[in-house]
Amino acid sequence: MTDRSTTSLVAAAADGDESAWAGLVHRYTPLVYSVIRSYGLSRADAADINQTVWLRLVEHVGRVRSPQALATWLATTTRRECYRLSRLGRRTQPFDPHDDAYHGLSRAADATAPDEELLRAERQQALREGFAQLPPRCQELLSLLTADPPASYREIAERLGVPVGSIGPTQARCLHRLRNCPALAPFLAASATQANGGERDGAVAAGR
Amino acid sequence: MEPWPPDDDHALTAELGAALWAVGPVPEEFLAAARAAFTWRTVDTELALAELTFDSACDAEPAGLTRSAGSARTLSFRGGPVVLEIEVTDAGIVGQLSPPHGGRVSAQTASGSYDEAVVDTVGFFSLGPPPPGPVRLRAQTDEYVVATAWVSLR
């Protein structure tokens, strides 16, 4: 499933292919879920928003132009529905406080502004997509390097059957590919625009 | 604003790790609901989709317009020339369809239809109180078939 491009999944789903739809769900529910979580809503509200967003996408999927457009549409729609339900103020009774999942969802609607949360969620989605486009070798190495707890270079070398000394350079090459993958391109363009537009960053850019 | 993705390999590796591992698993009920949404896919080319254009719960009132007082929530949907306006209270939904045509309207939840009513010749209809969760209205007249976007009405 991971080797099908989002573009082909979107086209197939719009054409009625249920397994393609399941592929989109698999790929994008973490994005929707992470935006919802940032709002600290009840679990029932969270579930209703998730369902609303996917029902809306069923109607919208035929009009999606690019994977980036899909991620942005999902994040924006989710965020708007979170706002709507938070304004409705329904079910003011807190949910079962012993429900672990509720604790997970109510994780403070605190310090981080929704804008930042949204950007963070979109970036994380772009990283996951970029990662999915990397060669299997890179995916394996980066998974091991980012695992919790992280694997040591020696363990990684053994797992992959490569010399310890090659891991650093391979990591650098894989990250280079990640930075240059299509999924991250819109963000590169965005920070370039902002760097040129912002006064302080503009000065930095001019000094290069 | 910092350039993103970060140039530093350690920083990028850390962000990738957060993206890959920190979101936590999506609850199975969320996945199931998302997959099941596909059963609402329609191939009905006659059906026009009316997008949500106003919701008193979260949009500022249009200037110069005085809405009916009280606890009623009002929503407007528009699809091409068709406008569907509803008022939602604890007692139920009253709505109007324009341009006015007689017909039928059904109120749907993700699991099926919860109520159905006649649309009179001036476009008025009333429906029972909506259950929690996303709902949409589907109206069928002699002239057009329209379905609203899904939205939680309470």
Side-chain angles (χ1 to χ4, degrees):
Chain A
M1 194 63 78
T2 48
D3 56 357
R4 282 186 79 176
S5 75
T6 298
T7 312
S8 84
L9 288 178
V10 165
D15 228 26
D17 179 344
E18 194 163 357
S19 73
W21 177 261
L24 290 175
V25 168
H26 177 76
R27 197 167 291 182
Y28 287 95
T29 38
L31 170 66
V32 172
Y33 187 58
S34 63
V35 174
I36 293 174
R37 275 204 329 189
S38 69
Y39 274 78
L41 299 159
S42 73
R43 187 174 175 95
D45 280 354
D48 284 349
I49 290 162
N50 174 69
Q51 189 172 44
T52 302
V53 169
W54 290 98
L55 284 165
R56 292 255 186 98
L57 183 62
V58 172
E59 294 154 350
H60 184 77
V61 73
R63 284 176 280 167
V64 174
R65 298 278 169 257
S66 68
Q68 177 59 26
L70 176 60
T72 303
W73 186 90
L74 283 170
T76 310
T77 304
T78 305
R79 182 189 187 185
R80 208 180 293 136
E81 293 312 301
C82 287
Y83 179 64
R84 188 187 316 284
L85 261 65
S86 68
R87 290 294 299 257
L88 279 183
R90 56 185 200 166
R91 300 173 183 134
T92 43
Q93 289 299 310
F95 263 61
D96 182 356
H98 302 296
D99 180 355
D100 286 344
Y102 172 70
H103 283 296
L105 287 168
S106 63
R107 183 184 59 95
D110 58 10
T112 324
D115 269 341
E116 261 170 66
E117 280 289 340
L118 190 70
L119 182 62
R120 194 181 58 85
E122 283 190 44
R123 283 176 170 178
Q124 290 198 340
Q125 176 68 20
L127 286 173
R128 285 191 292 270
E129 278 177 35
F131 179 82
Q133 291 161 6
L134 291 176
R137 231 25 204 177
C138 282
Q139 291 181 349
E140 211 173 343
L141 174 65
L142 292 173
S143 299
L144 290 168
L145 284 167
T146 57
D148 186 22
S152 70
Y153 271 28
R154 184 202 289 271
E155 285 171 308
I156 294 172
E158 274 173 26
R159 283 276 285 275
L160 301 181
V162 297
V164 171
S166 75
I167 291 173
T170 309
Q171 178 187 5
R173 270 199 304 279
C174 291
L175 290 173
H176 180 75
R177 292 186 80 130
L178 181 63
R179 280 193 193 91
N180 291 295
C181 76
L184 268 64
F187 293 92
L188 284 169
S191 42
T193 312
Q194 274 151 0
N196 292 336
E199 247 183 285
R200 215 189 59 207
D201 292 325
V204 174
R208 274 181 192 158
Chain B
M1 182 152 175
E2 295 285 321
W4 193 90
D7 289 331
D8 180 65
D9 279 359
H10 287 296
L12 183 56
T13 305
E15 282 205 41
L16 178 65
L20 293 179
W21 309 110
V23 170
V26 177
E28 181 50 40
E29 59 166 300
F30 282 55
L31 289 164
R35 281 192 295 263
F38 200 61
T39 57
W40 284 94
R41 179 177 170 272
T42 175
V43 287
D44 186 354
T45 50
E46 298 286 290
L47 183 72
L49 180 68
E51 302 282 359
L52 180 57
T53 53
F54 174 79
D55 178 356
S56 64
C58 58
D59 297 326
E61 301 275 332
L65 195 67
T66 312
R67 293 272 172 182
S68 56
S71 58
R73 178 176 167 206
T74 55
L75 301 99
S76 297
F77 303 88
R78 174 185 281 276
V82 180
V83 174
L84 201 152
E85 293 198 293
I86 59 171
E87 205 173 274
V88 186
T89 62
D90 291 343
I93 300 173
V94 292
Q96 187 176 20
L97 199 56
S98 66
H101 284 284
R104 291 199 72 77
V105 60
S106 68
Q108 302 172 327
T109 68
S111 51
S113 183
Y114 86 83
D115 197 9
E116 211 181 300
V118 169
V119 181
D120 70 19
T121 50
V122 288
F124 282 107
F125 59 87
S126 64
L127 293 157
V135 167
R136 77 166 179 181
L137 304 184
R138 186 179 190 281
Q140 180 145 19
T141 73
D142 306 336
E143 297 296 314
Y144 50 79
V145 189
V146 68
T148 69
W150 292 92
V151 61
S152 283
L153 293 180
R154 50 182 289 200

